[in-house]
Each structure stands twice: as structure tokens, then as C-alpha cells.
Amino acid sequence: MAIAIQPYLTFNGYCEEAFNFYKSVFGGDFAHISRFGEMPPQEGISFPESFAKKIMHVALPVSGQFMLFGSDAGGDCSPEAVVGNNISLSLQIGSKEEGDKIFDALSAGGTITMPMEVTFWNAYFGMFTDKFGINWMVNVDLNS
């Protein structure tokens, strides 16, 4: 079982500024950057028009297998970030079966904020807060 654990940082509208700073420190280029305005319409999810240019997801390679992930919070898809609760652990898992197994085990007794489902970015993805208050994301890339 190969699982990569990456920190996922959430910001209240200044993710791009923060990640440009991190990029200046660590060097390199973003492996991925997308904005909320690029997201196809999703039932039950809305955000203010001014939020369209905010970061939905950014990935900055730091070294070898290590990536720093981030996004802005707000709208229906992500509650406001609160310092101390604005970091999640993102698990990159190789199969849907293993993703379900890890998701079910770690979320037991916790609060599921997004059940495992296929997303518009072609991943099998879910989020939860475990029974100890730690935020987790489980991601299975369906492009490979």
C-alpha cells in the first residue's frame, strides 16, 4: 500500500499571495493552479462573483515526493478558515478500494464533510474531520 501524505493549507482569500511567498522560498514552479471561476457549475455550491479569481487548488513541489497544497476558503464549498483549523492532511491513494478502506476507518466517529465521490477533476475524493478534530482529505487520481 503506497500512500503519500501532504499538508493542505486553507486561507481566507490570500492563498495566491501565500503560495507566491512559499514559491520564493522553496523555488520551482506550481505543478497545478486552478481558480473557483474555472469550476463547472455544481448543484448546491455557489460563491460570490468576486470569489471566481480565488484559488480552488494549488500544488507546489517542494522536494522529491513532497508537495504543498493550498486553497482559499469561502462560499458553499468551503467554510471560512480558522487559524488552528486551516490545515488538513491530504492522502494520495492508489485505488478506490484502498481509498474507501482508509476513509471509512479514519472517519469512524468523526464528521464527514464530503463523502467519497468522483469529482469534476477526475478524482475519487472525500473529506472529513476525525474524532480527534484532525481534518483529512482522501484523493484517488483517476487519470492514471
Side-chain angles (χ1 to χ4, degrees), residues 102-103 106-107 111-113 126-130 134-136 138:
I102 297 293
F103 185 94
L106 281 174
S107 67
T111 303
I112 295 172
T113 52
M127 298 185 302
F128 60 91
T129 302
D130 73 18
I134 304 300
N135 298 316
W136 294 87
V138 174

Side-chain angles (χ1 to χ4, degrees), residues 9-60:
L9 311 176
T10 306
F11 302 90
N12 288 321
Y14 52 91
C15 180
E16 187 165 14
E17 177 184 355
F19 266 74
N20 280 326
F21 169 73
Y22 300 145
K23 187 168 88 167
S24 76
V25 172
F26 297 116
D29 290 312
F30 298 129
H32 179 84
I33 188 165
S34 58
R35 300 180 187 281
F36 282 98
E38 299 167 1
M39 181 170 67
Q42 303 286 307
E43 187 174 327
I45 296 178
S46 64
F47 48 83
E49 191 174 315
S50 62
F51 205 70
K53 293 185 179 183
K54 298 298 181 188
I55 303 299
M56 183 180 72
H57 178 72
V58 61
L60 177 64

